[in-house]
Amino acid sequence: MMAARTGLRRLDARRVDAILGAAAEEGRFTLLEHEVYGVLEAAGCRVPRAVLVPVGGSPEAAACEIGTARVMLKVAAPGIAHKTEVGGVAESANDPAALRAGIDTMLATVPRPAGVEVRGVLVVERVAVDDVGPGSESLVALRHTREFGPVITMGVGGVDTELLAAVSRPGQAVVSASAALQDAPALLETFRSTLAWRRLSGSTRVGRRLVDDAEILPVLGAFRALGERYADDGPGAWTIVELEVNPFAASGGRLVALDGLLTFRPKGRPAAPRPSESLGAVLRPRSIGIVGVSVHGRNVGRIILDNIRAAGFDPDRIVVVRPGCAEIDGIACVDSVRDLPERMDLVVVALSADQVPGIVEELVEHDRAVGVIVIPGGMAEKTGGEVLEARLADAIRTARARGLPLVVNGGNCLGIVSRPGRYDTLFIPRSKLPVPEYRGGGVAIVSQSGAFMITRLSHLPWLSPRYAISTGNQVDLTIGDFVAHLAGDPAVTTIAVYVEGFREGDGLRVARAVREAVQGGRDVLFYKAGRTAEGRRATAGHTASIAGDYDVCESIVADAGAIVARTFDEFQGLLKISALLGARRWRGRRLAAMSNAGYEAVGIADSLRGDGWSLELAELAPTTRAALGEALARGHAGTLVDVHNPIDLTPMADDGVHEDVLRAFLEDPGVDLVVCSTIPLTAATATLPDEIGGEGSLPARLARLLPATDKPIVASIDSGPLFDPLARAIEAQGVPVFRAADAALRTAGRYLESRLRR
């Protein structure tokens, strides 16, 4: 019978500190298994009885203390992690003679790698488990990640873990969550998506309950408490690098840790905090300096100067650093950074990479900048450029040590567009990236890749974001700094984030900012590059940042409330919906859809559900069905098709029929979301470029319908480039357009789920 070692209780940190400290004094940072049991027990987990019999020691005391008929023998050696593979695990009868024979055999046969000291053999109570079927054992692990700090992974344990992870859908075999962001009940809710929880709870077809949630909860709480205290920013002296129990087994209705591994390290010294208050000056500067403007040619610096002026920044508050010039295009010049007339809120450096460190060193020496945007690449992302970035980092550390407000964005970035700040430092000519008039929209884009950011803007030419921020290599300011700042801006309604790699701890900072933004009623869209080994290598080559564990990142950011896009197209579609329809009311899943093509009506019905989202066809009110019948009759289709949802208008339907059907859908109280899909090839509709400006066209009819409703409408135009002007005209009225009906439903469904959770 297993001893009931512990119930739910607070972490005994003094005991854990003593165990870790004693191991560290011996110069080792991997615990022996009985020490792992001690840590788990101190945290509130149930563990088997265990006694270490040292080399040359007597097993009599172990036999007496454990007291069960059968025991497990496990070799105790700091350098042997996988004991089973080397013959370091065996079962034995629990009497002194059998124990002595088993211990002697194990010590004689287990290989001893060079430098590995075998301390003895651990005699462990053999726990009687309640079930040995597939999925009956569970894995719970804690590891300290570079990006997110302490992360807890839960799921199927034992020999089934890797097999089920390979064949299961994401989130079924194992799940991960942030120990810093989720409490024990939230961790349990996350765990419920796994096959392990279904097995333990008896939720399978022929299963029986092995443990109650009340038994699982303290285990997850124990791992969370350890993660909180023994993190880099926790109060303990040590950081737990990895703590894995595989498996926890059900015994007598309780979870018992059978095997455990724990590695740790001394806590690192935290870096000096960045003066985040300086971001206000960076995004809304009162003065701007530019280094690297050509006198005659149209180089990067000259384009930036032109774009800043075109964005409306006061030319009297711009200063160009250009030796030997009094002015360029009416903008005052000075000979050097030290000659800048004041501490500039923002200095843009558009020189070659080898000149950047010297400029920033001079800015620090003479205290001439709050914010710096470093445009050029060729530093840490290029072999040999590490020295340049190291000099830049040293200059930043010097500024921190002196208490200066200086912060640096970049390098290898396109810069920033700030509508409130009335500036644009992108070095893209306006002729190639026209900037639409700003009408007060609340979209903010934060992208590690400037190219990704401007291509989204090129694809969405009507979008005029409040902020468009390219961070590049994040040598100082990070994705998390900007997202946290934007989360506190009440004028920002959508934050769209593209990231390739996080700086240390910044993934957690981003997740916290996402949670704050979503709780404040904002949309956060997120794309993480580097989900494969090949993608991580490409990411490292591009930005010199390490792409972290994609699954962990996706889980934590999604738990915080972000909508995680899996493709570029999906990201762009979500951004389109959030920007155009974010202010509308997303009440529920009841969909009404229309098309003038039968295949689309069928395709819409086939696309109601997907991974993580679900729509349902609305049950139309009798008055709606009557209105639809009248509309079909006016379109000469009443004898061809019946009133259904989705409704097939047939190619005979003109734009007036489209308007009548849309109005009927929008007026039906049982409809939450409308999809308007049309094939523009029919002669009945005004869809060609020279037709769409008329009062009878679909764009004009949508303009009349939209002010009278707060329901979201999504459109699909499934035809070629001849009808791109039609799609742009519809989006100009505030209706997002997709080029296939299934894409429209998939994207709207994913966005809807986020809004309903919020």
Side-chain angles (χ1 to χ4, degrees), residues 445-700:
I445 302 174
V446 183
S447 177
Q448 192 169 351
S449 165
F452 179 86
M453 181 174 75
I454 61 174
T455 52
R456 297 319 105 194
L457 295 178
S458 180
H459 278 295
L460 306 174
W462 47 265
L463 178 63
S464 184
R466 183 174 178 84
Y467 298 106
I469 301 165
S470 162
T471 65
N473 285 352
Q474 305 177 88
V475 67
D476 185 33
L477 290 173
T478 65
I479 294 281
D481 291 327
F482 284 109
V483 176
H485 183 86
L486 296 171
D489 184 343
V492 172
T493 56
T494 300
I495 304 175
V497 183
Y498 169 90
V499 62
E500 293 172 355
F502 292 112
R503 289 301 185 188
E504 187 169 352
D506 202 51
L508 180 57
R509 180 169 170 78
V510 167
R512 284 176 167 147
V514 167
R515 185 171 63 179
E516 178 188 347
V518 172
Q519 288 176 347
R522 299 168 178 83
D523 292 335
V524 180
L525 318 176
F526 187 87
Y527 184 92
K528 172 67 171 69
R531 71 185 69 186
T532 65
E534 293 83 359
R536 287 190 290 274
R537 284 195 294 271
T539 294
H542 176 215
T543 65
S545 298
I546 299 173
D549 185 319
Y550 179 84
D551 292 337
V552 169
C553 174
E554 180 180 33
S555 296
I556 292 176
V557 174
D559 284 343
I563 313 175
V564 180
R566 298 178 178 91
T567 67
F568 292 165
D569 281 347
E570 188 174 60
F571 182 91
Q572 186 169 301
L574 289 167
L575 177 55
K576 187 184 297 190
I577 286 182
S578 179
L580 294 177
L581 301 179
R584 294 188 171 268
R585 293 189 64 187
W586 293 74
R587 297 177 177 86
R589 296 183 170 86
R590 297 171 298 178
L591 169 74
M594 53 172 278
S595 174
N596 60 351
Y599 86 90
E600 280 200 327
V602 175
I604 288 170
D606 283 340
S607 303
L608 293 172
R609 282 170 289 279
D611 185 14
W613 58 275
S614 177
L615 299 170
E616 61 188 56
L617 293 175
E619 184 68 35
L620 301 176
T623 53
T624 303
R625 298 179 67 85
L628 295 178
E630 294 172 4
L632 289 175
R634 284 194 296 274
H636 307 291
T639 60
L640 302 178
V641 293
D642 292 326
V643 172
H644 294 292
N645 182 22
I647 187 169
D648 177 6
L649 304 183
T650 79
M652 301 174 65
D654 61 15
D655 295 303
V657 174
H658 283 71
E659 180 181 1
D660 292 342
V661 171
L662 283 173
R663 180 178 287 106
F665 283 163
L666 293 171
E667 292 176 352
D668 191 323
V671 172
D672 302 313
L673 167 67
V674 175
V675 169
C676 172
S677 187
T678 188
I679 302 299
L681 300 168
T682 70
T685 54
T687 55
L688 291 172
D690 60 351
E691 298 173 333
I692 57 178
E695 286 298 309
S697 69
L698 185 57

Side-chain angles (χ1 to χ4, degrees), residues 190-373:
T190 300
F191 182 49
R192 284 190 176 119
S193 70
T194 66
L195 298 171
W197 181 83
R198 292 181 61 193
R199 188 74 174 84
L200 292 174
S201 64
S203 300
T204 56
R205 187 174 63 178
V206 294
R208 63 184 180 89
R209 179 178 290 276
L210 301 178
V211 296
D212 292 325
D213 283 354
E215 176 66 23
I216 301 171
L217 196 63
V219 170
L220 302 181
F223 275 70
R224 180 180 184 271
L226 289 166
E228 272 197 313
R229 179 173 179 83
Y230 299 99
D232 279 347
D233 59 352
W238 311 100
T239 295
I240 292 180
V241 176
E242 182 177 16
L243 168 61
E244 178 181 301
V245 174
N246 187 12
F248 273 100
S251 177
R254 296 172 171 176
L255 286 179
V256 187
L258 298 189
D259 292 288
L261 169 71
L262 190 152
T263 61
F264 67 106
R265 59 172 167 78
K267 186 162 298 179
R269 179 181 299 177
R274 292 177 292 279
S276 57
E277 64 277 4
S278 295
L279 275 177
V282 170
L283 294 177
R284 295 173 295 280
R286 295 163 299 179
S287 57
I288 296 179
I290 310 174
V291 186
V293 177
S294 171
V295 177
H296 304 293
R298 192 162 165 73
N299 70 342
V300 168
R302 190 65 169 264
I303 295 172
I304 290 173
L305 173 61
D306 291 346
N307 286 348
I308 289 175
R309 296 185 66 178
F313 199 84
D314 183 356
D316 293 334
R317 299 295 294 159
I318 305 173
V319 180
V320 171
V321 177
R322 182 71 190 186
C325 285
E327 58 89 19
I328 296 177
D329 291 344
I331 302 297
C333 296
V334 296
D335 288 339
S336 68
V337 164
R338 73 182 67 191
D339 297 319
L340 287 167
E342 61 186 88
R343 177 200 277 168
M344 311 297 285
D345 279 348
L346 184 63
V347 173
V348 183
V349 181
L351 297 170
S352 60
D354 62 306
Q355 296 176 279
V356 169
I359 292 294
V360 177
E361 288 164 353
E362 198 172 354
L363 287 169
V364 172
E365 180 182 357
H366 300 284
D367 189 15
R368 280 296 179 266
V370 176
V372 182
I373 296 177

Side-chain angles (χ1 to χ4, degrees), residues 373-377 409-416 427 448 450 470-473:
I373 296 177
V374 176
I375 299 296
N409 183 52
N412 190 28
C413 76
L414 277 178
I416 295 173
F427 55 86
Q448 192 169 351
S470 162
T471 65
N473 285 352

